[in-house]
């Protein structure tokens, strides 16, 4: 066990700097100062960050750090941090490290005993949650669901009995299919769609999943935060673990899953060998 303090007034370290998710007035004084004082600013998209730099008259050296160059760029940034430089990390919008490659650089800095200083600031998920009208006592941030229907369904199945509000991000062209998957797996729950947060056309659309599916059938635009009411059903874990795994497979098939998908799911849930379970299931039938 090792305790560390990351707070510094100034100096070497990796500074995580949130940037506005739409409205530039949401930039904090401290965030502007850190960007101005840093030796380097690492940005997900330098073209996007340059707009911010021009607005606040920031002239710090800007380098790219994104999903496709994070290994080579990360090595250079880590070497600069170890040499005593102050580096600020920003994403295109919001808090770096949330659903972006910044989390990798943060872990590398921590492993190298380099101070990591996180500034508070804009975040789309929390902004939408507070205004959603859904429970804020407990919530689960998931980010983007898988694009493929089968994988998306499997992910939602894992969330079916989560009692907290579920928070997702989704692109406009996938919203309709995403809501369809939510209704099929989680049921017709209460949902809030938060669109274009802090921007000119900011909008909250609240209703049941079926109502919002009808709304999303039209051509929709903007980036969405999708907030789904948590489950009020009791998780049947105890029943599942005490039951015969073959009966569990049959139950999943009766609920609409294909036999191979049901086999795979039971093997994963119980930590069983899938091939042995496959043979036992077909021998029993």
């Amino acid at each position: 066990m090792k305790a560390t303090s990351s707070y510094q007034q100034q100096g070497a370290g990796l500074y995580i700097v949130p940037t506005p998710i739409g409205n530039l007035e949401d930039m904090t004084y401290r965030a502007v100062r850190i960007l101005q004082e840093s030796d380097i600013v690492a940005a997900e998209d330098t073209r996007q960050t340059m707009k911010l730099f021009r607005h606040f008259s920031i002239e710090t050296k800007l380098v790219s750090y994104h999903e496709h160059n994070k290994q080579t760029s990360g090595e250079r940034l880590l070497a600069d941090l170890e040499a005593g430089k102050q580096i600020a990390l920003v994403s295109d919008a919001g808090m770096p490290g949330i659903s972006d490659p910044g989390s990798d650089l943060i872990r590398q800095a921590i492993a190298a005993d380099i101070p990591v200083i996180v500034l508070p600031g804009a975040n789309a998920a929390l902004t939408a949650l507070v205004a959603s009208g859904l429970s804020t006592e407990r919530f689960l941030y998931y980010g983007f669901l898988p694009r493929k229907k089968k994988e998306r369904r499997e992910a939602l199945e894992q969330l079916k009995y989560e009692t907290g509000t579920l928070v997702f991000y989704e692109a406009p062209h996938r919203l309709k299919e995403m809501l369809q998957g939510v209704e099929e797996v989680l049921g017709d729950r209460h949902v809030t769609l938060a669109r274009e947060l802090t921007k000119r056309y900011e909008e909250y659309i609240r209703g049941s999943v079926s109502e919002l599916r009808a709304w999303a059938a039209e051509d929709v635009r903007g980036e969405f935060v999708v907030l789904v009411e948590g489950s009020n059903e009791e998780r049947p874990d105890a029943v599942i673990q005490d039951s015969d795994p073959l009966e569990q497979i049959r139950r999943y098939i009766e609920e609409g899953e294909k036999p191979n998908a049901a086999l795979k799911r039971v093997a994963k849930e119980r930590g069983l060998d899938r091939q042995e379970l496959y043979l036992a299931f077909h021998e029993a039938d």
Side-chain angles (χ1 to χ4, degrees):
M1 176 175 163
K2 182 178 180 181
T4 61
S5 174
S6 63
Y7 180 78
Q8 296 179 328
Q9 290 291 343
Q10 58 183 9
L14 178 63
Y15 288 75
I16 312 305
V17 182
T19 54
I21 58 177
N23 192 324
L24 289 177
E25 292 180 359
D26 293 332
M27 193 71 170
T28 69
Y29 290 112
R30 185 183 176 203
V32 172
R33 177 177 63 80
I34 292 297
L35 294 180
Q36 291 172 333
E37 293 177 353
S38 293
D39 298 300
I40 300 169
V41 173
E44 188 175 6
D45 185 337
T46 55
R47 296 166 301 179
Q48 187 71 20
T49 304
M50 274 305 302
K51 299 175 185 177
L52 188 75
F53 274 31
R54 284 193 291 266
H55 185 84
F56 291 103
S57 301
I58 299 168
E59 299 180 354
T60 307
K61 179 182 178 182
L62 192 61
V63 301
S64 67
Y65 176 84
H66 50 72
E67 184 63 37
H68 303 294
N69 75 348
K70 64 182 182 182
Q71 183 171 350
T72 55
S73 182
E75 289 174 357
R76 290 194 296 267
L77 291 169
L78 199 63
D80 286 333
L81 287 165
E82 290 175 332
K85 291 189 176 181
Q86 176 176 318
I87 295 178
L89 175 70
V90 299
S91 63
D92 288 349
M95 177 66 77
I98 303 295
S99 295
D100 80 8
S103 57
D104 292 335
L105 185 60
I106 292 167
R107 282 192 291 269
Q108 291 171 336
I110 291 170
D113 287 330
I114 293 166
V116 175
I117 304 93
V118 181
L119 279 63
N123 177 269
L126 291 178
T127 301
L129 176 65
V130 171
S132 68
L134 301 175
S135 173
T136 59
E137 295 295 319
R138 174 186 170 93
F139 64 92
L140 187 150
Y141 168 77
Y142 188 92
F144 288 93
L145 282 164
R147 298 184 181 187
K148 294 183 179 178
K149 183 177 180 180
K150 179 183 176 183
E151 295 173 0
R152 181 171 61 237
R153 183 180 182 88
E154 290 175 353
L156 288 168
E157 288 283 359
Q158 296 295 318
L159 300 170
K160 187 172 183 178
Y161 298 103
E162 171 59 47
T163 58
T165 298
L166 303 173
V167 184
F168 305 97
Y169 289 157
E170 194 52 271
H173 61 280
R174 291 197 299 269
L175 181 64
K176 183 170 64 175
E177 289 74 18
M178 184 263 195
L179 290 173
Q180 180 179 346
V182 168
E183 185 173 11
E184 289 174 353
V185 178
L186 305 183
D188 200 15
R189 300 187 188 180
H190 292 295
V191 172
T192 295
L193 302 180
R195 186 177 77 92
E196 293 291 272
L197 292 179
T198 78
K199 300 176 184 176
R200 180 179 179 182
Y201 296 107
E202 175 181 288
E203 184 178 17
Y204 288 90
I205 307 100
R206 302 175 179 89
S208 65
V209 181
S210 56
E211 290 171 338
L212 297 188
R213 277 187 62 197
W215 178 86
E218 304 293 330
D219 181 36
V220 295
R221 297 181 181 182
E223 297 300 316
F224 286 85
V225 182
V226 182
L227 304 107
V228 182
E229 177 185 28
S231 174
N232 57 13
E233 299 179 55
E234 184 177 351
R235 187 186 296 271
D237 290 353
V239 176
I240 289 175
Q241 293 302 324
D242 290 341
S243 66
D244 182 348
L246 303 184
E247 288 299 322
Q248 186 181 345
I249 293 170
R250 296 187 186 98
R251 181 166 62 82
Y252 285 155
I253 293 172
E254 289 173 2
E255 292 175 355
E257 290 197 35
K258 293 183 179 180
N260 283 342
L263 276 159
K264 181 179 178 181
R265 180 178 170 186
V266 172
K268 183 177 180 181
E269 289 177 347
R270 296 189 173 220
L272 300 175
D273 183 275
R274 187 166 59 179
Q275 187 62 31
E276 291 181 3
L277 191 60
Y278 176 89
L279 293 173
F281 178 74
H282 286 287
E283 286 175 2
D285 287 357

